[in-house]
Amino acid sequence: MVKPRIYFDNSATTMVAPEVVEAMLPYYTQYYGNASSLHTFGQEAKKALEESRAKVAALINAQPDEIIFTGGGTESDNIAIKGIAYRNRTKGKHIITSSIEHPAVLETCRALEKEGFELTYVRVSSEGIVDTQELERSIRKDTILITVMHSNNEIGTIQPVEEIGEIAARHGIPFHTDAVQSAGKIKIDVKAQHIDLLTLTAHKIHGPKGVGALYIRKGIQLQPIIHGGGHEKGLRSSTENVAGVVGFGKACEIAATNLEANADHMRKLRERAIEGVLASIEASYLNGHRTQRLPNNANFRFTGIEGESLVLMLDEAGFATSTGSACSSHKLQPSHVLMALGLRHEEAHGSLRVTFSRYNTEAEVDLFLQTLPGIVGELRKISPLWNRR
Ligand SMILES: *Cc1c(COP(=O)(O)O)cnc(C)c1O
C-alpha cells in the first residue's frame, strides 16, 4: 500500500485554501504598491487593506476601525498585553490570566512579572475549564487586565468567555482573549461576549503565515511596543503585508460563510475518532472536556506510552499529528496544560493531539483508526512503564 499523506495537525497550522492563494497573487505581481503611497498603486493597496479589515471584523462582530493588522498571533498577544500593562502601570500592576494559556500569552506575562507586574494564574478544572469563581475572587483594586484564552490549543476546551467578559465588565477591567483556535470553528462575538481585546492569526484558518489581527474595542488605549512610521494606529509600525492581509480577509470571509457546516463536518470526524480510539485501545483516555471542546480537537493519552514516539511512528505510517502543542513539542518537559489538569508526569507525557480541518474526510479517520491500535501495541511491548504496571 502506498503511504498516505494525511494531515491531522490543524491546530499547529493549516493548508492555505486555494481560493486564498488565488486572492493573494495579484497583490504580489500587479497591485504591489505601498498602502501609504499617494499614487494609484498605493491607493489600490490601501483599498485592499480596508476591504480585508471589514472581512476580519465581520468574523467577530466588530467594526472595521477596531481591527489592526499584525505579524501574527504572538505579536497580537504581545501588543495587547504589554500595551495595556504599560499604559496602566500607574493605576495598578496586577494581571489575571489562566494556567493553560498559549506561550504567546504565558511568556508575555512572565516577562511582565520580571518587570515588577504581579500575576495571578487562575486554575482550571480537571477537564480544563477555567474556574471563574476563583478568577473573580482574585480581582484586586489594582487589577489592570484579565487575559484568558477563548479556547485551548492543546486540549481544545472552550472557555466560559462570556461569563469572564461579564465579570471583567462588572469590575471595569479590560478583558483580552486569544481566540486564535476558536476562529472559524465556533462563533466569536466581541459584543455579546464583552471582549475588549482579541487576538487572531491567519495561518490557523487556512490563510497565510505571518499575518494576524488584534481587535481593540473603541475607547481602549494601548501603549505601543513597536515604534516607527505609525502604521495601524501607531500600534504596529511597518509597511503592511498587503497580500497577506488580503489572504487573511479571504480566509475570514470563507470561515464566516461556512462556519456551521464546517464545524458540523469537523465535529463528526472528531466524534468518530474519539469513539473509535476509546473503544479499540485499552487504557486510552480523552484529555479535556468531553463536549465543551473545539469541533476539530481530539487529545488522547495512552498509559505507558511517550507522545513523541507515537507521533514519530504515526508519521512513518503517513499521519501528521502532534503531542501537546507544536510550540512545546521540542521541549522535554510535560505540557503545562496537561499538568494543570492535575495529571501525573508520566500521564502528561503520553498525549496525542489530533486536530482536523474542513479538508479532512471520514475515510482518513477510518484509516487512522485502523493504524493506531497496532502502533500503540508495538510501543507498549517495549514500554517498561506498561509492562511494570
Ligand atoms: C498558534 C497560536 C498562537 C500563535 O500564533 P502565531 O501566528 O503562530 O504567532 C497564539 N495563540 C494560540 C492559542 C495559538 O494556537
Side-chain angles (χ1 to χ4, degrees):
M1 197 182 75
V2 268
K3 181 165 142 180
R5 191 177 149 80
I6 295 175
Y7 190 75
F8 284 164
D9 198 12
N10 288 282
S11 283
T13 196
T14 56
M15 181 183 98
V16 182
E19 306 94 301
V20 168
V21 176
E22 199 187 333
M24 291 171 69
L25 286 177
Y27 290 90
Y28 286 116
T29 53
Q30 209 176 342
Y31 309 116
Y32 48 79
N34 182 322
S36 303
S37 299
L38 291 177
H39 46 62
T40 304
F41 285 79
Q43 292 164 23
E44 288 159 352
K46 176 80 180 154
K47 181 162 173 282
L49 203 60
E50 296 318 315
E51 283 170 5
S52 301
R53 204 184 301 280
K55 290 176 187 173
V56 174
L59 182 67
I60 60 170
N61 192 27
Q63 303 302 316
D65 63 351
E66 294 175 311
I67 301 291
I68 64 160
F69 288 113
T70 69
T74 303
E75 207 179 275
S76 296
D77 284 338
N78 273 266
I79 293 172
I81 296 169
K82 291 181 188 160
I84 287 282
Y86 296 154
R87 172 88 192 193
N88 296 289
R89 71 189 332 159
T90 52
K91 264 196 238 160
K93 56 181 179 183
H94 182 234
I95 296 169
I96 300 172
T97 187
S98 86
S99 53
I100 60 165
E101 295 298 308
H102 186 276
V105 168
L106 212 52
E107 295 304 321
T108 302
C109 289
R110 296 244 159 86
L112 288 173
E113 246 174 337
K114 290 201 183 111
E115 295 177 30
F117 288 90
E118 291 174 12
L119 266 290
T120 298
Y121 300 90
V122 176
R123 283 176 299 191
V124 298
S125 70
S126 59
E127 293 177 313
I129 310 287
V130 169
D131 183 340
T132 52
Q133 288 182 359
E134 184 180 315
L135 184 142
E136 185 157 23
R137 278 198 307 272
S138 68
I139 292 174
R140 314 191 317 207
K141 280 205 178 62
D142 64 341
T143 304
I144 51 172
L145 173 67
I146 296 173
T147 173
V148 174
M149 67 203 323
H150 206 279
S151 60
N152 184 267
N153 48 297
E154 291 187 36
I155 54 174
T157 44
I158 299 167
Q159 300 303 330
V161 174
E162 189 168 338
E163 199 186 328
I164 298 170
E166 272 169 17
I167 294 171
R170 207 177 325 118
H171 292 267
I173 301 165
F175 172 41
H176 167 254
T177 187
D178 180 330
V180 163
Q181 294 290 344
S182 292
K185 287 160 211 140
I186 57 174
K187 222 171 144 50
I188 302 173
D189 186 327
V190 292
K191 294 199 174 74
Q193 299 181 317
H194 311 279
I195 297 163
D196 297 306
L197 299 132
L198 180 141
T199 291
L200 294 173
T201 194
H203 76 97
K204 305 270 173 89
I205 59 164
H206 305 289
K209 292 167 183 63
V211 55
L214 179 64
Y215 153 78
I216 310 165
R217 183 190 288 273
K218 261 189 210 81
I220 296 281
Q221 303 287 332
L222 300 179
Q223 179 168 317
I225 58 168
I226 295 165
H227 304 272
H231 309 76
E232 299 298 298
K233 298 187 170 172
L235 289 168
R236 208 279 185 168
S237 289
S238 184
T239 303
E240 294 89 348
N241 174 2
V242 177
V245 161
V246 166
F248 190 12
K250 186 72 188 174
C252 286
E253 186 179 63
I254 298 172
T257 316
N258 302 317
L259 193 88
E260 299 290 332
N262 287 334
D264 284 346
H265 174 70
M266 290 186 273
R267 198 175 294 108
K268 274 203 196 97
L269 301 183
R270 179 194 77 186
E271 288 306 298
R272 202 176 181 85
I274 292 176
E275 283 162 20
V277 167
L278 298 183
S280 64
I281 302 176
E282 67 167 317
S284 62
Y285 308 91
L286 183 71
N287 292 318
H289 196 279
R290 183 65 187 82
T291 52
Q292 202 174 318
R293 71 189 303 136
L294 291 172
N296 74 326
N297 173 297
N299 187 313
F300 305 100
R301 62 178 193 278
F302 303 94
T303 305
I305 291 188
E306 289 279 339
E308 280 77 10
S309 347
L310 204 47
V311 168
L312 293 175
M313 298 265 285
L314 278 166
D315 187 47
E316 278 296 301
F319 298 90
T321 61
S322 93
T323 172
S325 68
C327 317
S328 61
S329 55
H330 54 270
K331 300 179 194 161
L332 275 171
Q333 293 141 347
S335 135
H336 69 286
V337 175
L338 297 177
M339 292 303 282
L341 304 183
L343 294 178
R344 284 175 290 123
H345 253 256
E346 59 270 29
E347 291 175 312
H349 268 299
S351 81
L352 177 73
R353 185 183 71 178
V354 184
T355 47
F356 305 108
S357 80
R358 62 177 186 252
Y359 295 105
N360 289 123
T361 64
E362 282 194 2
E364 290 177 332
V365 175
D366 289 344
L367 208 53
F368 176 73
L369 291 172
Q370 286 162 27
T371 310
L372 184 65
I375 292 178
V376 170
E378 286 300 309
L379 287 171
R380 278 179 172 165
K381 264 191 225 154
I382 54 166
S383 158
L385 266 177
W386 179 254
N387 293 310
R388 228 193 289 129
R389 164 184 58 110

